[in-house]
Amino acid sequence: MDVKVLEGEHVLQTYRRAPVVFTRGEGVYLFDDEGRRYLDLLSGIGVASLGHANPALADALADQARTLVHTSNLYFHPLQGQVAARLASLSGLPRTFFCNSGTEAMEGCLKFARRFWHTAGDSERTGLVALEHGFHGRSIGSLSVTWDEHYRTPFAPLLQNVVWVPAGDAAALRQAASAQTTAIVIEAIQGEGGVRPLGAEFAAAVKDAQARTGALLIADEVQCGLGRTGVAFGYQRLGLEPDLVAVGKALGGGMPVGAVLVSERVAAAISAGDHGTTYGGNLLACRAALVFLDALTSGGLQDHVKAVGAEFEAGLRALAARHAVVREVRGAGLMWGLDLTVDATPFVQAALRRQVLINRTAETVIRLLPPFVISSAEVEQALGQLDAILTEGVQERAA
Ligand SMILES: Cc1ncc(COP(=O)(O)O)c(C=O)c1O
């Protein structure tokens, strides 16, 4: 039966999919069911960090699948500690809780923050400060700190006592954070919200709020973390010191892996039995994470992202100078947004016709999250395609 018909009958219709069926991948390319090749500048929304069908990842997963896939968290296995140690040396946060997605990682952050204040005996601490345009997932907790009302309203009531602050408004943050604040929740570069980096002044206000109120800081690095922006974590660029960090996406290179990185003082407040998951940190997931973390650190992938990221940025800024429809170029490393003066939908459609995958976020923003392994030649190819897409999108709107 036709893929789309079968899905139409039996898959819950929560997604508006583009009309294309992908059956295989190779590096920065995907191939559809008719063998056509697409340049993937989105990597499954920031996930396929090592590119598609990466041989090292494939070999490791096949080997692990033949050895042992899963045991549950009732027992030890050799790989969780290894992944946690590598994450600790990248982040400076000594402990990791493993889960299976970014949403679960954020849910863990929110629970651990609550647990911290519960252990401290501070029953006044129930509030959260979250940023306008932030996105943290769709579970009840993570949705409660997600800005978009379209996502939140049908599921009310969510967590109470969330105070919203415009990202970048230091004065508003100063007013919002108080001795009732459990945690301040940030993305160093907001992803779904339109690729919006936080600035130095706002970061200083976050630090000030932490010091003044004692509120914990939760850094959601699910999209902007783990090397995506040319540094290990986006919060490091801002000199921030979070107590809890959520990661996911790039970590598994396509395997569903999420993690919460936890400071020593928060870890000290957590007891056995406080939180858990059947699959979190199983052997297959950890093996994937080890392949990715090895590539990132000892394999030189972090330096590669920095180098090709700079080429990408220069090219995007040159495109913006020539295309009046581009209002602003925002991002870092291999995380970029082209903020347009108009809705980005026709541009995404023009890209698909050219067999290029990009995505629209925050209505007017073209988002680019290519695989970390994209080469200089492929960056050139991407820039050439984007040049044509910007022209064709404008023409389509005018037609
Ligand atoms: C910053 C951020 N946090 C959390 C999430 C949720 O992650 P997941 O979709 O893996 O549950 C996302 C997903 O896009 C994200 O970008």
Side-chain angles (χ1 to χ4, degrees), residues 187-189 220-229 231-234 335:
E187 293 160 83
I189 301 183
D220 182 345
E221 293 273 334
V222 169
Q223 192 165 144
C224 67
L226 291 171
R228 164 66 63 191
T229 67
V231 291
F233 294 100
M335 177 174 186

Side-chain angles (χ1 to χ4, degrees), residues 53-296:
N54 177 278
L57 183 60
D59 288 348
L61 290 179
D63 175 63
Q64 194 60 51
R66 273 192 241 89
T67 308
L68 189 60
V69 169
H70 178 86
T71 58
S72 87
N73 282 303
L74 295 175
Y75 312 104
F76 291 97
H77 70 65
L79 305 183
Q80 269 198 23
Q82 292 180 36
V83 179
R86 280 179 174 72
L87 289 170
S89 75
L90 280 177
S91 67
L93 294 164
R95 291 180 190 275
T96 293
F97 174 85
F98 288 98
C99 53
N100 313 287
S101 67
T103 299
E104 283 178 64
M106 277 307 296
E107 204 65 34
C109 287
L110 295 170
K111 279 190 72 179
F112 295 147
R114 274 219 173 153
R115 183 66 168 105
F116 176 83
W117 292 112
H118 180 85
T119 307
D122 192 342
S123 54
E124 295 295 296
R125 297 262 186 184
T126 56
L128 288 160
V129 172
L131 303 191
E132 293 183 7
H133 303 286
F135 181 90
H136 303 288
R138 312 289 200 105
S139 61
I140 294 290
S142 62
L143 188 58
S144 300
V145 287
T146 287
W147 166 248
D148 193 325
E149 281 198 341
H150 294 108
Y151 296 156
R152 279 190 286 126
T153 304
F155 302 99
L158 299 172
L159 294 182
Q160 303 298 298
N161 302 337
V162 177
V163 185
W164 298 100
V165 168
D169 188 338
L173 179 66
R174 219 163 284 131
Q175 221 175 14
S178 72
Q180 277 81 52
T181 306
T182 312
I184 300 165
V185 183
I186 61 151
E187 293 160 83
I189 301 183
Q190 295 183 320
E192 304 296 310
V195 191
R196 296 167 197 268
L198 296 184
E201 193 203 340
F202 192 73
V206 170
K207 273 199 233 176
D208 176 63
Q210 282 175 275
R212 186 171 48 83
T213 68
L216 301 179
L217 177 61
I218 298 175
D220 182 345
E221 293 273 334
V222 169
Q223 192 165 144
C224 67
L226 291 171
R228 164 66 63 191
T229 67
V231 291
F233 294 100
Y235 66 79
Q236 292 169 338
R237 194 189 287 281
L238 295 168
L240 289 171
E241 291 180 18
D243 302 278
L244 292 151
V245 174
V247 293
K249 290 192 186 281
L251 181 57
M255 281 292 297
V257 190
V260 185
L261 316 184
V262 185
S263 69
E264 199 58 72
R265 71 176 179 141
V266 174
I270 311 289
S271 303
D274 275 349
H275 196 40
T277 156
T278 299
Y279 294 108
N282 84 9
L283 289 106
L284 199 63
C286 284
R287 191 69 185 268
L290 283 174
V291 173
F292 167 72
L293 291 168
D294 279 351
L296 189 70

Side-chain angles (χ1 to χ4, degrees), residues 39 41 312 315-316 319 322-323 354 356 376-392:
L39 177 63
L41 299 181
F312 207 25
L316 291 173
L319 283 183
R322 287 195 288 107
H323 291 271
R354 298 189 140 266
V356 176
S376 291
E378 289 157 348
V379 164
E380 277 305 305
Q381 187 194 348
L383 291 167
Q385 288 284 1
L386 287 166
D387 196 5
I389 289 160
L390 289 168
T391 303
E392 287 169 15

